[in-house]
Amino acid sequence: MTDTRWLDEEEQRTWRAFIAFSRLLSEAMERQLSRDEGLPFSYYLILAMLSEAPGRSLTMTELATDVRASPSRLSHAVNKLQANGWVVRSRHPDDRRAIIASLTDDGMAVLEKAAPGHVGEVRRLVFDRLTPAQRESFDDVLTTLLAGLDPDAPVCPDAPVCPNDPEPPAAGVEICAAGAALDAPDDDSGRDAA
Amino acid sequence: MTDTRWLDEEEQRTWRAFIAFSRLLSEAMERQLSRDEGLPFSYYLILAMLSEAPGRSLTMTELATDVRASPSRLSHAVNKLQANGWVVRSRHPDDRRAIIASLTDDGMAVLEKAAPGHVGEVRRLVFDRLTPAQRESFDDVLTTLLAGLDPDAPVCPDAPVCPNDPEPPAAGVEICAAGAALDAPDDDSGRDAA
DNA sequence: GGCGAATCATTGAAACTTCAAGTATGATGG
DNA sequence: CCATCATACTTGAAGTTTCAATGATTCGCC
């Protein structure tokens, strides 16, 4: 117990900076989305992830994994999103335990409306302030730490988070709305995919 | 609206890595403290900040600023901590609007008990995985970004967060429990405050 | 001295998340 | 076939945070 290896002064400074940054940034993101769209960030993330999925659909379990939420949390959240008409649930054809959540057109519209403001905030608060070298170091550190936190993290090893072209142009609004969807007129094919 | 400057592929990868890291780490910290001490991280932070303050006391506003919580959030949290006997409230001698929150001996004991496990987790998940150069880059990036988020952030400019020696050896358990307090036998001066 | 604005803090309701069951379906083995 | 266990998901209650409204007190100013 007393053999704890405490943090030295520099480590402590770094740690405090991280805590502070992490809180302030997430609050800023929440505030922006909440103010402009009345949407919590975690809900935005769900819509974004669905928008990228083939057929804009995923099972609850897949979706929970993607947004890193507990099954319970996701279930409650989808209840809300469904009540808003942004997501619908349907049975899985092969496994009747599973439920498929799909983004509706209304949900997609909400996401497309929210994306620019959200991306603007990310850019303003983060990327516009970093030199290319800093951005690269940042990425390096995050990747390193992430590996230790989540061994099987499919986060961004080589391939991007989302298997984004095994299907017809998935046309999702990415977490930060890479923009693909905003130009893609219609993939509304709906689902064959799912 | 359509003139949004979207994130390029690298920025997007970095941003997703940050989101993932941030969530996973804070969940890991919460889990560790909750499992071992039944204490939410935000409460731990309040105790830690109080422990570093002169006389182990701060006004609610000062405390809220230090832990970066809203006044309301802090008030609710202190209600809980007070119910546990870890913090007490008292009137400010000079400004009767203000309330002084002070860490009790019981609260200090809880903090000292919780610190080693918490620090161990931080070390294991973060600092043990970074090279000195990485740690330094990380600090640099965080400092840069923090400056933009919180202009008047007294986070760690030159002087450390807490005015830590204007008084008799403050002997606090720092956020990461630098260890000072764990050796400091007694500053229990308690202060007129409590 | 006293009015109005700003500051310090608290409260209750609503929103979100977590925790501990609980239901239903699928897979396994006798 | 049936018992058993694992998986997929939901629910209700409890805990924490946010939001809007409110009570005190102090400060600036005439």
Side-chain angles (χ1 to χ4, degrees):
Chain A
M1 221 211 245
T2 36
D3 59 348
T4 306
R5 287 157 53 224
W6 303 103
L7 301 185
D8 65 33
E9 205 174 301
E10 297 203 328
E11 289 169 333
Q12 184 139 170
R13 206 180 58 225
T14 302
W15 177 243
R16 289 190 187 215
F18 175 76
I19 299 271
F21 173 64
S22 188
R23 289 202 164 196
L24 288 171
L25 182 60
S26 78
E27 275 162 26
M29 304 310 302
E30 292 284 359
R31 205 161 34 241
Q32 182 274 321
L33 272 173
S34 173
R35 168 169 42 76
D36 297 350
E37 316 290 340
L39 202 61
F41 182 55
S42 46
Y43 288 19
Y44 177 88
L45 208 52
I46 292 173
L47 298 181
M49 284 304 189
L50 276 180
S51 79
E52 293 177 2
R56 291 185 192 162
S57 300
L58 289 172
T59 65
M60 294 297 276
T61 299
E62 290 167 340
L63 185 51
T65 301
D66 281 2
V67 303
R68 278 165 242 270
S70 69
S72 170
R73 178 179 177 176
L74 181 65
S75 188
H76 284 298
V78 169
N79 284 344
K80 211 92 186 186
L81 295 174
Q82 189 166 28
N84 287 342
W86 299 339
V87 168
V88 291
R89 277 188 248 236
S90 55
R91 293 207 144 294
H92 189 293
D94 301 331
D95 183 342
R96 294 201 314 200
R97 290 171 303 179
I99 299 276
I100 294 174
S102 307
L103 190 62
T104 64
D105 289 344
D106 278 2
M108 190 66 183
V110 166
L111 186 58
E112 287 178 358
K113 176 165 178 304
H118 174 67
V119 177
E121 194 74 350
V122 173
R123 178 166 287 296
R124 187 171 72 76
L125 295 176
V126 180
F127 295 105
D128 280 353
R129 300 182 184 280
L130 297 180
T131 65
Q134 282 179 314
R135 195 207 55 72
E136 203 164 335
S137 313
F138 195 29
D139 192 277
D140 169 54
V141 169
L142 291 172
T143 303
T144 300
L145 293 176
L146 214 36
L149 265 173
D150 189 7
D152 38 55
V155 176
C156 54
D158 297 321
V161 167
C162 23
N164 51 8
D165 25 26
E167 303 290 322
V173 171
E174 311 207 16
I175 285 188
C176 286
L182 301 182
D183 311 309
D186 51 0
D187 144 327
D188 70 300
S189 55
R191 55 164 323 88
D192 49 34
Chain B
M1 224 217 240
T2 36
D3 59 348
T4 306
R5 287 158 51 225
W6 303 103
L7 302 185
D8 65 33
E9 204 173 303
E10 296 204 328
E11 289 170 332
Q12 183 138 172
R13 207 181 56 225
T14 301
W15 176 242
R16 290 190 187 218
F18 174 75
I19 299 272
F21 173 64
S22 188
R23 289 202 164 197
L24 287 172
L25 183 60
S26 78
E27 275 163 24
M29 304 310 301
E30 292 285 359
R31 205 161 33 241
Q32 183 273 320
L33 272 173
S34 173
R35 168 169 42 77
D36 298 350
E37 315 290 339
L39 201 62
F41 182 53
S42 46
Y43 288 17
Y44 178 88
L45 209 52
I46 292 173
L47 298 181
M49 285 305 192
L50 276 180
S51 81
E52 294 178 2
R56 292 185 191 162
S57 300
L58 290 172
T59 65
M60 293 298 275
T61 299
E62 291 166 339
L63 186 51
T65 302
D66 281 1
V67 303
R68 280 164 239 272
S70 67
S72 170
R73 178 179 179 176
L74 181 66
S75 187
H76 285 297
V78 169
N79 283 344
K80 211 92 188 183
L81 295 174
Q82 189 165 31
N84 287 341
W86 299 339
V87 170
V88 292
R89 279 187 246 235
S90 55
R91 292 204 145 297
H92 190 291
D94 300 331
D95 184 342
R96 293 202 316 203
R97 290 170 304 180
I99 298 277
I100 294 175
S102 307
L103 190 62
T104 63
D105 290 344
D106 278 3
M108 191 66 183
V110 167
L111 185 58
E112 288 178 357
K113 176 166 178 305
H118 175 66
V119 178
E121 195 76 350
V122 172
R123 179 166 286 297
R124 187 171 72 77
L125 295 176
V126 180
F127 294 105
D128 280 353
R129 300 182 184 280
L130 296 180
T131 65
Q134 282 178 313
R135 194 206 56 72
E136 203 165 335
S137 315
F138 195 29
D139 191 277
D140 168 55
V141 169
L142 291 172
T143 304
T144 300
L145 294 176
L146 214 36
L149 266 173
D150 190 8
D152 40 53
V155 177
C156 54
D158 296 322
V161 167
C162 22
N164 51 7
D165 25 26
E167 302 290 322
V173 171
E174 312 207 16
I175 285 189
C176 285
L182 301 183
D183 310 309
D186 51 0
D187 145 327
D188 71 300
S189 56
R191 183 205 212 233
D192 47 66

